């Protein structure tokens, strides 16, 4: 395990350009395989850093120059903006030579869980998550902006509840634009590039092409248009850390959860005095076998600090950390 971690740390340092500027282009199978391989290695490495590296700290180890030293930050969207430039002809199946563009402007919902991992100020990985979009157009016109009436009815009806979602690393696409309530996917995003400005704490996603999804093409009655490019998307987001780890020679020396800047979403509590750990997201649930009538389940949690003071999170035997209980219930007379 020690050798694997040290070797992997060296491997990551040899690919700073690929990890600093993450790209996605589904047109190249080789690129997809490389992207997935790098993402798998990077996420495995950072998962060990973020979820139990301290379990190995108590074991005897030989320090090497290859062991990672630095600061690992898990960051989410504090605020941001999203622009979609759409071709109305392509959306409506028109062959007209007269261009009919429309630009949709959105603000990102505060504290959206579209997480990225930053190690020593370099972008290392984007994790699965989503960012809710709030229409922001001229003079407060919102969904009544000129040109919106020509959008397909299904898309127009969902403008107030769209979201950009980052898919798992093994999905066929990296980003999608979907209805946040129904889950209906309107567009797949291809060809985009991630970039991170450490000084400004700014994440940029540029160059994305909007492709009609298979289900949207079917809803339009034009299944052959699935995969057709009908516009482009760009995203700019101010990021804030929700977890900061300090590593020295591969060992965690401190873990701190900074206070969120602003309330944790419309349904979140108001910031309170002192540290206040909350569960900001439940990204995954997994089943770990069964024994008779008992089934092993685990729920992943993404924690945030909704207080106004930093929150320490150290492993045992140190007791300076919160505890998150999990309970699952089956409704009375529910499905057995």
């Amino acid at each position: 395990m020690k050798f694997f971690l040290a070797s992997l740390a060296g491997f990551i340092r040899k690919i700073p350009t690929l990890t600093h500027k993450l790209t996605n282009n589904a047109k190249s199978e080789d690129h997809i395989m490389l992207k997935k391989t790098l993402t798998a290695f990077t996420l495995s490495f950072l998962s060990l850093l973020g979820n139990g590296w301290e379990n190995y700290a108590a074991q005897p180890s030989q320090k090497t120059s290859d062991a990672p030293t630095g600061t690992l930050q898990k960051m989410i969207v504090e605020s941001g903006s999203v622009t979609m430039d759409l071709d109305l002809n392509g959306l409506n199946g028109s062959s007209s030579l007269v261009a009919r563009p429309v630009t949709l402007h959105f603000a990102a919902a505060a504290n959206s869980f579209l997480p990225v991992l930053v190690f020593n100020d370099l972008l290392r990985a984007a994790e699965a998550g989503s960012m809710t979009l709030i229409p922001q157009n001229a003079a407060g016109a919102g969904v009544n902006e000129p040109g919106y009436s020509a959008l397909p009815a299904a898309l127009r009806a969902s403008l107030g509840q769209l979201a950009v979602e980052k898919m798992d690393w093994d999905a066929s696409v990296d980003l999608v634009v979907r209805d946040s309530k129904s889950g209906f996917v309107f567009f797949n995003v291809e060809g985009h590039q991630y970039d991170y400005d450490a000084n400004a704490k700014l994440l940029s996603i540029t160059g994305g092409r909007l492709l009609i999804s298979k289900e949207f093409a079917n809803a339009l009655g034009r299944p052959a248009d699935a995969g057709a490019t009908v516009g482009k998307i760009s995203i700019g987001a101010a990021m804030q850390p929700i977890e900061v780890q300090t590593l020295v020679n591969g060992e965690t020396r401190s873990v701190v959860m900074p206070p969120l800047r602003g309330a944790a979403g419309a349904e979140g509590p108001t910031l309170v005095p002192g540290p206040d750990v909350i569960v900001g997201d439940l990204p995954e649930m997994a089943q770990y076998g069964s024994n008779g009538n008992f089934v092993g389940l685990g729920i992943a949690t993404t924690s945030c600090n909704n207080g106004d003071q930093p929150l320490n999170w150290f492993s045992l035997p140190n007791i300076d950390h919160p505890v998150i209980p999990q309970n699952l219930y089956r409704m009375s007379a529910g499905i057995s």
Side-chain angles (χ1 to χ4, degrees), residues 219-303:
L220 292 171
R222 307 195 312 268
D225 283 352
T229 299
V230 292
K232 57 185 180 179
I233 184 172
S234 60
I235 300 171
M239 309 298 288
Q240 63 173 322
I242 59 171
E243 180 181 298
V244 180
Q245 291 195 46
T246 300
L247 303 173
V248 177
N249 292 326
E251 295 186 0
T252 300
R253 293 296 176 89
S254 67
V255 183
V256 177
M257 299 178 67
L260 287 175
R261 293 191 289 268
E267 299 179 357
T270 304
L271 294 180
V272 299
D276 179 33
V277 65
I278 63 171
V279 176
D281 193 21
L282 299 174
E284 187 176 4
M285 183 175 74
Q287 178 176 333
Y288 298 95
S290 60
N291 183 5
N293 293 327
F294 294 91
V295 177
L297 298 174
I299 301 176
T301 62
T302 299
S303 299

Side-chain angles (χ1 to χ4, degrees), residues 94-155:
S94 171
S95 58
S96 173
L97 298 179
V98 179
R100 298 175 63 206
V102 62
T103 300
L104 312 184
H105 298 281
F106 301 90
N111 297 326
S112 290
F113 275 86
L114 191 70
V116 297
L117 300 177
V118 175
F119 187 64
N120 286 346
D121 288 338
L122 293 179
L123 180 64
R124 293 306 192 187
E127 293 190 322
S130 64
M131 178 171 61
T132 301
L133 306 183
I134 305 170
Q136 299 284 306
N137 281 8
V143 296
N144 296 316
E145 181 79 3
Y148 281 29
S149 60
L151 293 171
L155 178 59

Side-chain angles (χ1 to χ4, degrees), residues 43-199:
L43 289 178
S44 298
F45 168 68
L46 292 173
S47 176
L48 287 170
L49 293 182
N51 296 290
W53 183 282
E54 63 272 12
N55 293 337
Y56 299 96
Q59 300 178 11
S61 61
Q62 180 179 357
K63 303 295 188 300
T64 71
S65 59
D66 289 332
T69 294
T71 302
L72 172 65
Q73 300 181 82
K74 185 171 187 176
M75 311 186 80
I76 63 171
V77 174
E78 178 182 2
S79 61
S81 61
V82 178
T83 300
M84 297 186 204
D85 295 309
L86 296 174
D87 171 22
L88 290 175
N89 288 335
L91 277 174
N92 293 298
S94 171
S95 58
S96 173
L97 298 179
V98 179
R100 298 175 63 206
V102 62
T103 300
L104 312 184
H105 298 281
F106 301 90
N111 297 326
S112 290
F113 275 86
L114 191 70
V116 297
L117 300 177
V118 175
F119 187 64
N120 286 346
D121 288 338
L122 293 179
L123 180 64
R124 293 306 192 187
E127 293 190 322
S130 64
M131 178 171 61
T132 301
L133 306 183
I134 305 170
Q136 299 284 306
N137 281 8
V143 296
N144 296 316
E145 181 79 3
Y148 281 29
S149 60
L151 293 171
L155 178 59
R156 189 169 65 250
S158 294
L159 284 180
Q161 55 197 47
L162 292 178
V164 173
E165 182 171 347
K166 169 70 175 69
M167 308 298 286
D168 286 327
W169 69 270
D170 58 348
S172 59
V173 293
D174 185 60
L175 291 176
V176 300
V177 177
R178 67 165 75 241
D179 185 303
S180 62
K181 295 184 177 180
S182 69
F184 184 93
V185 175
F186 289 98
F187 305 111
N188 297 324
V189 183
E190 292 184 356
H192 52 287
Q193 176 173 286
Y194 294 82
D195 200 5
Y196 179 69
D197 182 338
N199 292 326

